[in-house]
Amino acid sequence: MIKELTVNLGERSYPIYIGEGLLSEIGAYFEKHGIGKGSPLLIVTDTHVGPKYLKEVAGRLESAGYKVAAHTVDSGEKSKSLAVLEDVVATALEAGLDRKSTVIALGGGVVGDLAGFVAASYMRGIRFVQVPTTILAHDSSVGGKVAVNHPLAKNIIGAFHQPEMVFYDTQTLQSLPDREVRAGLSEMIKHGLIWDAEFTAWCEENAGKLVGLDSEALQHGLYMGCSVKAAVVSKDERENDLRAILNLGHTLGHALEAVAGYGELLHGEAIAIGMVAAAKLAVKLGYPEHIDTVTERIFRKFGLPVRIPAHLDTHEIMRAMMHDKKFNEGKMVYIIPTDIGKVVIDKNVSAESVKQIVNRMKQED
Amino acid sequence: MIKELTVNLGERSYPIYIGEGLLSEIGAYFEKHGIGKGSPLLIVTDTHVGPKYLKEVAGRLESAGYKVAAHTVDSGEKSKSLAVLEDVVATALEAGLDRKSTVIALGGGVVGDLAGFVAASYMRGIRFVQVPTTILAHDSSVGGKVAVNHPLAKNIIGAFHQPEMVFYDTQTLQSLPDREVRAGLSEMIKHGLIWDAEFTAWCEENAGKLVGLDSEALQHGLYMGCSVKAAVVSKDERENDLRAILNLGHTLGHALEAVAGYGELLHGEAIAIGMVAAAKLAVKLGYPEHIDTVTERIFRKFGLPVRIPAHLDTHEIMRAMMHDKKFNEGKMVYIIPTDIGKVVIDKNVSAESVKQIVNRMKQED
């Protein structure tokens, strides 16, 4: 059964399709969405996902009558660079992509961000389709935030560029390594924590099924996670205010990733720690105690880290946070849970309180 | 006296100010436009313009209470690259630019395009102000098309990102070399040819004054040129249809620049040849003879080239045109004058007719 939901953004609205075995029908979906056959398509994928699914996706599209080119980048965060973007654009030019062409992001968050920014900037913007192949990408593939990294900062060069559709074949998730499954589920839990107490409780109850990649549980969880993301993005496409709540756990999470060196902590692991920290900060600010206990209990249930690796330097973590682009004009902005399923954007959190929490989370068990 | 006009684009509308000595008032204009002082500004300029005006502009803004950083790139087309963009972003990060910061493009078209794309992509888009210092830039600074080049194609990586304002101090034009003055006036004449027969006649009558940088003539000409650009852009911001008329002379012009190697022909010179070619093509297609005679006469009056340098290879010129991104899905699109002050977008021009014109323009005197 195929689940469908819509990201409502006026004339930039688009559907998200979630289903098992969807990839085999990708040609029909492209036709249904009016993607013309006169201009070539470009599939961007990586060395991890490409060998598994590129042949099938390209083949299905070619069978439907599309001209298809492909570009495979190295898997991993390093491919989110301007140098790699230049390589992808070379392939696009050689394949003759024009203003009516479509770029297809086949892979996880790195491929989605890179291919999305290629689509946003090639000839000043062409269409693109997200084909996420990880659980984590249920988050990044929805909402149109695309970017590459700069040697000095993550995601600093990018655009808001909404896809034509998100095309989510849950079968591609079956081959994910266990650690990536758990880390990916971290963003799903986040969508519960910021928006929906009932869904949060469902996640906790179904932790075993989700980690075990039970098909039905996964489809429901992804559908609910995408729904929250879509609801938030629909209300604030360009992150003027509300959308910042999606950054729950990310301020500290990004800092931990940066200080640990990308790779030691997966993104989903780093933000799990960040969400536990935000819960502790909430209690410190006077919000109910159970926010902390429930948040930590859930992440433990999913086998995700809830403490800061002891060898990371507090000063470096704090410095990394102060450079984070979510700090606006010198003030420290923090997403604080006020209950399970509810958060506020607090623009006056003192760096000192955060530092105390960081230190405590390194010392505790 | 300061001339002011508005580019009407709904909530993205912005003013163009044209006047002599305007730079001395830049601080007051920034305040008037609500550009806050809590976030640093970044001036992007080049090695040609920076030594002349950077100190004054930075000084005026600092006197008004702004924090100002600056980045100077090498003058010339080579600075429109992703590598240089990465350098500018490094300066932006080091200076602490945030989402409320503004980028200032101080220079000609290269600086405007580069700095504009920095502004379009830094943190997914911050504000920018165009401070053009060439005549040619009266065209490029209006309309929000920003981009960098790829080794395989010009302007292929970019965005539509409208400035907050265009701030045009005509005093900065007084130091332009004569050849650049003439080449810059080529875009001004284009704005007459596509839109306004009366303005075209005025340009021809005032050729001497314009080339001689007469202050009053220059201000009127720039005002009229910007008005045409603004009118066209207001009707079609993202170049879905009408905006393509601004490409009169550009299809062949770009090809000539590419084949000659950037530098032999200035952009304004290349498009002058392109506009004469379009006029000859028009007559070949059955439009009135005077289109050709008047067009060629005007460009001769401004001392601009009206023939294709004989050593350029026709086959290479044609190949360069067929790769031009204005050719959509294999069909050749050409902007054809149907009278002085009127053009149409002809999507069915045969490459063979164009080739005949190219050959003729190489052989004729």
Side-chain angles (χ1 to χ4, degrees), chain B residues 40-79:
Chain B
L41 310 174
L42 175 66
I43 301 173
V44 179
T45 188
D46 69 18
T47 49
H48 190 70
V49 174
K52 288 183 192 132
Y53 306 111
L54 177 56
K55 207 174 150 187
E56 177 178 0
V57 174
R60 297 285 185 187
L61 289 166
E62 279 164 356
S63 299
Y66 289 97
K67 282 174 281 176
V68 182
H71 187 105
T72 303
V73 302
D74 289 342
S75 72
E77 189 74 20
K78 278 191 180 157
S79 286

Side-chain angles (χ1 to χ4, degrees), chain A residues 42 44-46 71-74 76-89 103-105 108-122 128 130 140 145-149 155 157-158 161:
Chain A
L42 175 66
V44 179
T45 188
D46 69 17
H71 187 105
T72 303
V73 302
D74 289 341
E77 189 74 20
K78 278 191 180 158
S79 287
K80 276 177 62 174
S81 72
L82 288 175
V84 173
L85 179 117
E86 192 160 287
D87 290 345
V88 179
V89 169
V103 173
I104 299 156
V110 166
V111 165
D113 281 6
L114 169 69
F117 190 49
V118 169
S121 58
Y122 185 76
F128 87 114
Q130 290 271 20
S140 58
K145 277 173 86 169
V146 296
V148 296
N149 300 328
N155 293 326
I157 302 170
H161 190 62

Side-chain angles (χ1 to χ4, degrees), chain B residues 36-340:
Chain B
K37 295 177 185 178
S39 301
L41 310 174
L42 175 66
I43 301 173
V44 179
T45 188
D46 69 18
T47 49
H48 190 70
V49 174
K52 288 183 192 132
Y53 306 111
L54 177 56
K55 207 174 150 187
E56 177 178 0
V57 174
R60 297 285 185 187
L61 289 166
E62 279 164 356
S63 299
Y66 289 97
K67 282 174 281 176
V68 182
H71 187 105
T72 303
V73 302
D74 289 342
S75 72
E77 189 74 20
K78 278 191 180 157
S79 286
K80 275 177 62 175
S81 72
L82 288 175
V84 173
L85 179 117
E86 192 160 287
D87 290 345
V88 179
V89 170
T91 302
L93 285 165
E94 282 154 10
L97 265 74
D98 61 32
R99 292 175 63 177
K100 292 185 178 170
S101 287
T102 299
V103 173
I104 299 157
L106 174 65
V110 166
V111 165
D113 280 7
L114 170 70
F117 190 49
V118 169
S121 58
Y122 185 75
M123 293 185 173
R124 299 193 180 87
I126 62 173
R127 293 188 285 188
F128 88 113
V129 169
Q130 290 271 21
V131 184
T133 61
T134 66
I135 295 172
L136 195 68
H138 91 277
D139 178 55
S140 58
S141 66
V142 177
K145 277 173 86 168
V146 295
V148 296
N149 300 330
H150 185 279
L152 299 178
K154 275 191 75 168
N155 292 326
I156 206 77
I157 302 169
F160 290 95
H161 190 61
Q162 302 295 342
E164 291 298 303
M165 64 174 141
V166 179
F167 197 78
Y168 215 146
D169 184 345
T170 52
Q171 207 150 43
T172 62
L173 308 174
Q174 294 297 330
S175 56
L176 288 174
D178 180 65
R179 187 177 167 198
E180 267 189 50
V181 169
R182 291 170 199 272
L185 291 167
S186 188
E187 292 275 13
M188 185 190 287
I189 299 163
K190 181 198 78 181
H191 288 127
L193 289 173
I194 63 170
W195 200 258
D196 187 338
E198 207 176 306
F199 176 50
T200 309
W202 180 90
C203 285
E204 189 175 359
E205 279 160 36
N206 291 275
K209 284 189 182 173
L210 287 167
V211 170
L213 295 170
D214 173 87
S215 181
E216 207 174 309
L218 211 49
Q219 283 181 45
H220 178 71
L222 292 171
Y223 178 83
M224 291 300 294
C226 288
S227 302
V228 172
K229 180 76 182 264
V232 174
V233 168
S234 294
K235 287 182 179 166
D236 176 26
E237 184 178 7
R238 293 183 72 92
E239 196 166 349
N240 292 316
D241 39 56
L242 179 70
R243 186 164 178 164
I245 69 171
L246 296 167
N247 292 321
L248 176 67
H250 280 61
T251 304
L252 177 57
H254 282 159
L256 295 176
E257 285 181 90
V259 174
Y262 298 108
E264 180 182 332
L265 284 169
L266 296 178
H267 177 69
E269 294 168 345
I271 63 162
I273 300 168
M275 285 186 266
V276 172
K280 292 186 191 303
L281 198 52
V283 173
K284 193 179 166 73
L285 293 172
Y287 294 107
E289 187 77 29
H290 76 270
I291 298 171
D292 179 19
T293 50
V294 171
T295 301
E296 185 165 331
R297 192 179 68 214
I298 294 176
F299 286 109
R300 284 193 189 273
K301 219 164 211 171
F302 280 84
L304 284 160
V306 295
R307 290 293 177 272
I308 295 171
H311 69 280
L312 300 183
D313 183 70
T314 301
H315 180 70
E316 274 187 58
I317 294 170
M318 292 306 297
R319 217 179 42 173
M321 279 206 274
M322 300 308 287
H323 275 109
D324 190 289
K325 65 178 187 285
K326 281 175 283 297
F327 295 90
N328 209 348
E329 297 194 349
K331 278 184 189 164
M332 194 153 178
V333 181
Y334 224 95
I335 315 305
I336 303 284
T338 59
D339 201 342
I340 297 299

